[in-house]
Amino acid sequence: QSVLTQPPSVSAAPGQKVTISCSGSGSSFESHVSWYQHPPGSAPKLLIFESIQRPSGIPNRFSGSKSGTSATLAITGLLAEDEADYYCVTWDSSLRAVLFGGGTKLTVL
Amino acid sequence: EVQLVESGGGLVQPGGSLRLSCAASGFTFGSNWMTWVRQAPGKGLEWVANINFHGSETHYVDSVEGRFIISRDNAKNSLFLQMSSLRVEDTAVYYCARLMVRWPPTAFDYWGQGNLVTVSS
């Protein structure tokens, strides 16, 4: 069974940098990773696709990386508006299914 | 401007059925895979189903396989999720989303506002 594991929560002060990890198992990390920001009461927003690419309109404060069976989302210059839940997502080629990580709650202190 | 507007949610009894719709505008609907994602109360996001451009290929999370059917009508720019044999644990906000033309099919670049489905007696 493929699983994506994220830390339940992270926190940092405004202006600081935070990283959110996403580790995979099974056949879940053969594919690229996407990252989503989900503020309370709003629709999710795509931040990163193909592990490192940013859609247009996403500031370069957000960056993604992937190595082996883990991926990382980094957010620099933290703003209060960055407070949200963050999810990593990948494709399990064996299950032919999309996998979401459990989500990480970012608190901007 | 790309817009996705869900409808059809509401309260249904366990074992009942419900059909969600997602009206798309602002892009060539038949050029993108589409997906449904849900969030149960107090839980994280969970992928439900994907459908390819013409509806000939679909994928489901195990927990809904055989109970839910994703479909689309490209002539009407609409995406659907037919939900049957509903369970209490299907209670969630359901989002439709558009997939970027990329592989793997995990880059959901536009989302609807979400539609609440409550399964309760």
Side-chain angles (χ1 to χ4, degrees), chain A residues 60-82:
Chain A
N60 58 12
R61 299 189 299 109
F62 296 91
S63 63
S65 63
K66 180 174 180 285
S67 177
T69 58
S70 68
T72 301
L73 174 71
I75 311 172
T76 59
L78 270 177
L79 303 172
E81 66 201 47
D82 296 331

Side-chain angles (χ1 to χ4, degrees), chain B residues 11-19 67-68 82-88 90 117-120:
Chain B
L11 175 64
V12 61
Q13 291 189 335
S17 298
L18 209 57
R19 188 194 200 204
R67 300 189 299 122
F68 290 11
Q82 178 67 49
M83 304 183 291
S84 305
S85 302
L86 281 161
R87 305 167 180 167
V88 171
D90 294 318
V117 172
T118 303
V119 184
S120 174

Side-chain angles (χ1 to χ4, degrees), chain B residues 50-97:
Chain B
N50 275 355
I51 187 167
N52 74 344
F53 310 105
H54 306 298
S56 58
E57 182 177 348
T58 57
H59 307 285
Y60 299 91
V61 66
D62 282 351
S63 60
V64 309
E65 183 85 54
R67 300 189 299 122
F68 290 11
I69 298 174
I70 186 172
S71 63
R72 64 191 298 162
D73 184 337
N74 288 348
K76 295 183 178 179
N77 294 336
S78 295
L79 175 72
F80 306 101
L81 187 67
Q82 178 67 49
M83 304 183 291
S84 305
S85 302
L86 281 161
R87 305 167 180 167
V88 171
E89 54 266 33
D90 294 318
T91 295
V93 173
Y94 285 73
Y95 297 95
C96 69

Side-chain angles (χ1 to χ4, degrees), chain A residues 73-91:
Chain A
L73 174 71
I75 311 172
T76 59
L78 270 177
L79 303 172
E81 66 201 47
D82 296 331
E83 195 160 277
D85 294 324
Y86 290 81
Y87 295 87
C88 61
V89 179
T90 192
W91 172 255

Side-chain angles (χ1 to χ4, degrees), chain A residues 35-47 58 81-87 100, chain B residues 2-6 22 35 37-39 45 93-98 108-115:
Chain A
W35 288 92
Y36 294 85
Q37 177 191 64
H38 192 197
S42 298
K45 178 192 291 187
L46 177 65
L47 296 176
I58 300 300
E81 66 201 47
D82 296 331
E83 195 160 277
D85 294 324
Y86 290 81
Y87 295 87
F100 272 80
Chain B
V2 173
Q3 285 196 323
L4 299 171
V5 180
E6 300 103 339
C22 173
T35 195
V37 173
R38 67 184 179 183
Q39 184 175 36
L45 296 173
V93 173
Y94 285 73
Y95 297 95
C96 69
R98 185 184 86 163
F108 313 133
D109 60 349
Y110 287 93
W111 296 67
Q113 80 285 357
N115 203 219

